[in-house]
Amino acid sequence: MSIRKRYTGLIETYRDRLPVSESTRIISIGEGNTPLIQLQNIPRLIGKDVDIYVKFEGLNPTGSFKDRGMTMAVTKAVEEGSQAILCASTGNTSASAAAYAVRAGIKAFVLIPEGKIALGKLAQTLMYGAEIIQINGNFDVGMALVKQLADHAPVTIVNSINPYRLEGQKTAAFEIVDELGTAPDFHCLPVGNAGNISAYWKGYSEYARASENLKAVTDKRPVMCGYQAAGAAPFISGKMIDHPETIATAIRIGHPQSWDKAWNAQKESGGWFDAMTDEQILAAQKMLSQFEGIFCEPASATSLAGALQDIGAGKIPEGSSIVCTLTGNGLKDPDTAISQCKDTHPVTIDATLDAVKRAILDRM
């Protein structure tokens, strides 16, 4: 009987492709190694011959893809002697930063927009014990303040302007290629701050390129397709916007910090950006839950909404393999989920066998 090695996080798994040494103290909570799930019912529902996979990043330790970048960012912050980290956040980054700070034994300061953060994310950040500072302004205002604070306070910024964040996040592309044996034809992502589309392209590119010490793993890179919420779509308008609005709080960002990197990923891959309405995003979220048993937060479903639109239009041809990144868990934003089910009410019956049996048979 063979003994399987215990999984200890993405840095240990991909140590030879990450900027760490043998002496680096790794700050990990077992992130990475998230499931790549092939959709079974939705392709039949839309009547298209496509292989659609979802990379469900909502099963990372704090429930979002942010953990991939945070393990690297906090590991390097500690290695460099930092005693505190700082971020601006719409919710997921703050939860992740707070958790990894606890793990490392350092402080986390987070700036969040007042009244613009989903309750699930706020609850996490509170429970992890971060120092929370609410501002009268959106994420973009908070990000601008964080960048200014870097020169006035002894803290390490762990937003995606920190290059180690993208180093960690690129490992999701490694995992996909390792599992599929090659890169997909198309990779679809939600785009807010644009760090993730940049990181995935970096990962695919590194796996397709041989170096002095590493062999190429694949000879293929996917077309990168980035989808934004219609009310928060600077990549569609071609310029930053000051007042983004969307129900998908995780991508309610008008001034993406990885602007140039994301444009590079789109152009080098032959891909595109497009915008989805809130109605399309929520429909895709509900579709994933009701037909595939996968519960993601609204922003995550933007990737599937975009993929379905482009499959239907023939922009993504039949016969293609497609990966959609689902960035966060549905439990991050329970209020939005419940609001979509407001017309569904549980039936109340007598606590008898006959009553339960009748209730079941009536609904068969």
Side-chain angles (χ1 to χ4, degrees):
M1 178 178 175
S2 61
I3 299 175
R4 185 179 178 185
K5 183 181 176 183
R6 185 173 69 90
Y7 180 80
T8 55
L10 64 85
I11 296 179
E12 291 292 357
T13 301
Y14 295 107
R15 180 181 278 272
D16 58 345
R17 292 180 178 272
L18 294 169
V20 293
S21 68
E22 287 301 317
S23 63
T24 302
R25 177 193 167 199
I26 307 301
I27 310 300
S28 172
I29 319 178
E31 61 294 312
N33 197 29
T34 55
L36 183 66
I37 307 165
Q38 184 168 13
L39 302 187
Q40 297 177 347
N41 300 317
I42 289 176
R44 288 201 298 267
L45 187 69
I46 64 175
K48 298 293 183 178
D49 178 23
V50 287
D51 290 325
I52 308 176
Y53 301 85
V54 293
K55 182 65 167 163
F56 193 16
E57 292 289 88
L59 294 184
N60 274 298
T62 75
S64 86
F65 79 96
K66 303 290 186 176
D67 295 346
R68 285 188 185 274
M70 206 57 68
T71 183
M72 271 301 312
V74 176
T75 288
K76 296 302 286 187
V78 169
E79 186 175 54
E80 293 165 4
S82 181
Q83 294 299 306
I85 58 175
L86 169 70
C87 69
S89 179
T90 57
N92 283 331
T93 299
S94 64
S96 186
Y100 282 82
V102 168
R103 189 74 164 172
I106 62 177
K107 290 188 76 71
F109 294 91
V110 302
L111 268 65
I112 61 173
E114 186 177 12
K116 297 287 188 177
I117 179 172
L119 287 180
K121 302 171 189 181
L122 180 58
Q124 284 183 283
T125 310
L126 289 166
M127 287 296 289
Y128 294 136
E131 298 288 341
I132 301 173
I133 303 167
Q134 287 195 122
I135 59 168
N136 292 316
N138 61 22
F139 168 84
D140 299 311
V141 173
M143 192 66 238
L145 288 168
V146 162
K147 290 162 78 173
Q148 293 172 43
L149 276 166
D151 298 325
H152 300 278
V155 294
T156 299
I157 297 175
V158 292
N159 284 101
S160 57
I161 58 172
N162 181 320
Y164 298 119
R165 277 279 307 275
L166 301 194
E167 287 292 318
Q169 287 167 218
K170 74 183 182 184
T171 61
F174 296 166
E175 290 178 6
I176 290 165
V177 174
D178 288 344
E179 194 160 342
L180 293 180
T182 188
D185 298 317
F186 296 86
H187 193 122
C188 303
L189 297 104
V191 174
N193 218 21
N196 221 17
I197 191 171
S198 307
Y200 271 91
W201 184 242
K202 181 176 174 63
Y204 284 126
S205 297
E206 289 184 9
Y207 247 27
R209 181 177 63 243
S211 66
E212 184 178 340
N213 301 316
L214 297 167
K215 295 179 180 179
V217 179
T218 179
D219 60 359
K220 177 182 174 184
R221 297 185 296 176
V223 174
M224 303 298 288
C225 309
Y227 301 101
Q228 301 202 276
F235 284 98
I236 312 309
S237 62
K239 61 182 180 180
M240 305 293 186
I241 59 174
D242 290 335
H243 303 289
E245 282 300 336
T246 173
I247 199 165
T249 56
I251 55 173
R252 188 191 282 147
I253 297 169
H255 289 245
Q257 296 301 304
S258 295
W259 179 260
D260 292 336
K261 290 184 178 70
W263 279 116
N264 180 65
Q266 177 260 317
K267 290 170 184 173
E268 282 193 2
S269 72
W272 56 83
F273 294 110
D274 208 342
M276 301 293 112
T277 65
D278 281 1
E279 290 74 20
Q280 287 174 297
I281 292 168
L282 293 178
Q285 182 195 25
K286 201 166 186 178
M287 183 181 287
L288 275 167
S289 297
Q290 298 192 341
F291 292 100
E292 300 288 354
I294 299 167
F295 184 31
C296 67
E297 69 170 310
S300 296
T302 309
S303 60
L304 180 65
L308 293 179
Q309 174 177 280
D310 288 337
I311 292 167
K315 199 171 181 180
I316 296 177
E318 292 204 51
S320 297
S321 63
I322 306 147
V323 170
C324 296
T325 295
L326 304 182
T327 46
N329 198 293
L331 295 173
K332 293 279 191 172
D333 191 354
D335 286 355
T336 299
I338 291 169
S339 71
Q340 291 191 75
C341 303
K342 59 181 180 295
D343 295 328
T344 303
H345 303 287
V347 62
T348 302
I349 59 171
D350 292 333
T352 66
L353 176 61
D354 283 344
V356 173
K357 183 172 70 175
R358 280 197 308 272
I360 291 172
L361 292 176
D362 288 346
R363 288 159 177 79
M364 290 290 285

